[in-house]
Amino acid sequence: MNYNLLINNLTNPTLLFFALGVLASLVKSDLEIPPSTSKFISLYLLFSIGFKGGQELAHSGLNREIIVTLLLSISLATVVPMYTFFLLKTRLSVENAGAIAATYGSVSAVTFVTATLFLDSLKVNYGGHMVASMALMEAPAIIIGVMLMRKYGTQTGNDHGMGSIVHESLTNGSVFMIVGSLVIGIIADVKGAEGIKPFTTDIFKGFLAIFLLEMGMVAARRFSAFKNYGWFVTLFAIIIPIVNGLMSVIITHYMGIHPGNRLLIAILAASASYIAVPAAMKQAAPQADPGLYVPMALGLTFPFNITIGLPFYWLVIQSF
């Protein structure tokens, strides 16, 4: 079953475009995405993810478990980038540490969808509000990552007060877009939101494919830099997801959350973003090396989570 999940997701057209980008770079093709187009797609992805998350929040009825789940999701998206940043900073530059911390504090939508398919195959129910949890975990990690880079980075100086750091982080274009879109999605009129659904939903995968095509080219061009970082980043990309996933399983057990939702929270905590965070870091932290954090998230953490992580976390949940 897990091999089928792996095959189904690795043959997803959007991921195949990532492979095409890698291939284009390896064969030294002159294929390229114009910078202005790339910037537009980055902003579009942030807008669409934020808006759809806001819509899910607006449509979800509130009860104790939903409120607890949403608060826990935000807490995980805040704590994970903070502790991983200081761990990473001992071996990497501030910019790379911040980008990777944001990557692992944020989430992978494709991993989340894979987890729902896993639960469907087991005929285990889960709440629709988990989509909102996924969206809520995007922005805090980006904000924390940018804040830490602003505070500890040499290029912006260390004499900034916390108020200045928070202001710069929240007003950063990419962060402002995803947070603003989330708020608009919550308060938007239902009929009005339906009017732009073709833009926010129907063409999302197409733009995502083009974005991952460019990410594939960028990652392949700079993959040698990833290899130069040695075993530390490889072990990080496997061990940290396990730590985050198990931490979530234990916490949700004592909170009395439904097993299906517990698995989804665990996989969200264990996953790493290769959509929203790279789109944000492309603007917020151009000094950070995408040839490091993109291959870590997409080449290591993603396949690990969908082949080993999902059945492992489910086994642990069942053991409780």
Side-chain angles (χ1 to χ4, degrees):
M1 176 178 63
N2 294 313
Y3 288 108
N4 290 333
L5 287 173
L6 175 62
I7 293 171
N8 289 340
N9 282 276
L10 293 183
T11 55
N12 185 298
T14 55
L15 296 185
L16 290 176
F17 272 99
F18 177 85
L20 180 63
V22 172
L23 179 62
S25 180
L26 292 178
V27 301
K28 302 186 185 304
S29 170
D30 61 356
L31 175 66
E32 65 175 347
I33 307 297
S36 58
T37 301
S38 175
K39 184 175 182 180
F40 166 76
I41 294 175
S42 297
L43 290 174
Y44 164 77
L45 293 175
L46 295 169
F47 151 72
S48 185
I49 291 170
F51 186 81
K52 287 187 290 186
Q55 284 285 288
E56 288 294 333
L57 273 176
H59 297 156
S60 297
L62 293 179
N63 57 39
R64 177 192 172 276
E65 180 170 334
I66 290 177
I67 294 173
V68 168
T69 299
L70 297 179
L71 291 176
L72 176 60
S73 299
I74 295 173
S75 298
L76 288 170
T78 302
V79 171
V80 170
M82 291 186 70
Y83 93 81
T84 53
F85 172 80
F86 290 104
L87 175 63
L88 290 159
K89 194 164 73 73
T90 63
R91 301 289 294 272
L92 304 172
S93 70
V94 167
E95 289 76 18
N96 282 332
I100 296 172
T103 298
Y104 282 82
S106 189
V107 294
S108 163
V110 177
T111 306
F112 176 84
V113 172
T114 305
T116 62
L117 295 175
F118 179 85
L119 290 173
D120 288 340
S121 69
L122 296 176
K123 301 187 185 319
V124 176
N125 295 326
Y126 53 89
H129 64 280
M130 292 307 302
V131 177
S133 290
M134 179 187 69
L136 283 175
M137 293 180 75
E138 297 276 11
I142 296 173
I143 293 171
I144 294 297
V146 173
M147 284 177 59
L148 291 170
M149 283 188 282
R150 294 287 188 272
K151 182 172 177 60
Y152 293 97
T154 56
Q155 293 194 0
T156 56
N158 294 331
D159 57 343
H160 289 249
M162 184 56 67
S164 175
I165 294 170
V166 172
H167 179 267
E168 289 181 17
S169 301
L170 291 176
T171 57
N172 173 270
S174 53
V175 175
F176 196 80
M177 173 61 84
I178 194 169
V179 174
S181 298
L182 182 69
V183 173
I184 291 173
I186 293 172
I187 64 178
D189 175 73
V190 175
K191 291 184 179 179
E194 283 293 320
I196 64 172
K197 188 175 181 180
F199 183 71
T200 58
T201 303
D202 296 348
I203 64 173
F204 180 84
K205 290 184 178 179
F207 275 116
L208 173 59
I210 299 300
F211 179 75
L212 288 182
L213 172 68
E214 185 192 25
M215 285 292 101
M217 291 188 287
V218 171
R221 285 197 298 265
R222 308 179 76 170
F223 197 75
S224 59
F226 170 70
K227 293 188 293 184
N228 292 336
Y229 289 103
W231 284 101
F232 173 75
V233 293
T234 300
L235 292 175
F236 180 96
I238 301 300
I239 294 174
I240 292 300
I242 296 174
V243 171
N244 294 337
L246 289 178
M247 174 176 63
S248 301
V249 167
I250 294 170
I251 292 173
T252 53
H253 169 71
Y254 290 104
M255 288 183 168
I257 294 176
H258 184 275
N261 294 337
R262 290 179 65 196
L263 179 68
L264 293 180
I265 294 172
I267 206 65
L268 285 173
S271 68
S273 172
Y274 54 84
I275 301 174
V277 171
M281 292 301 137
K282 187 179 181 67
Q283 300 179 62
Q287 306 92 344
D289 187 359
L292 176 59
Y293 59 85
V294 173
M296 286 176 67
L298 190 55
L300 294 173
T301 302
F302 171 69
F304 172 81
N305 274 331
I306 65 174
T307 55
I308 300 174
L310 279 171
F312 173 66
Y313 301 135
W314 183 245
L315 179 63
V316 176
I317 290 171
Q318 291 298 293
S319 70
F320 278 94

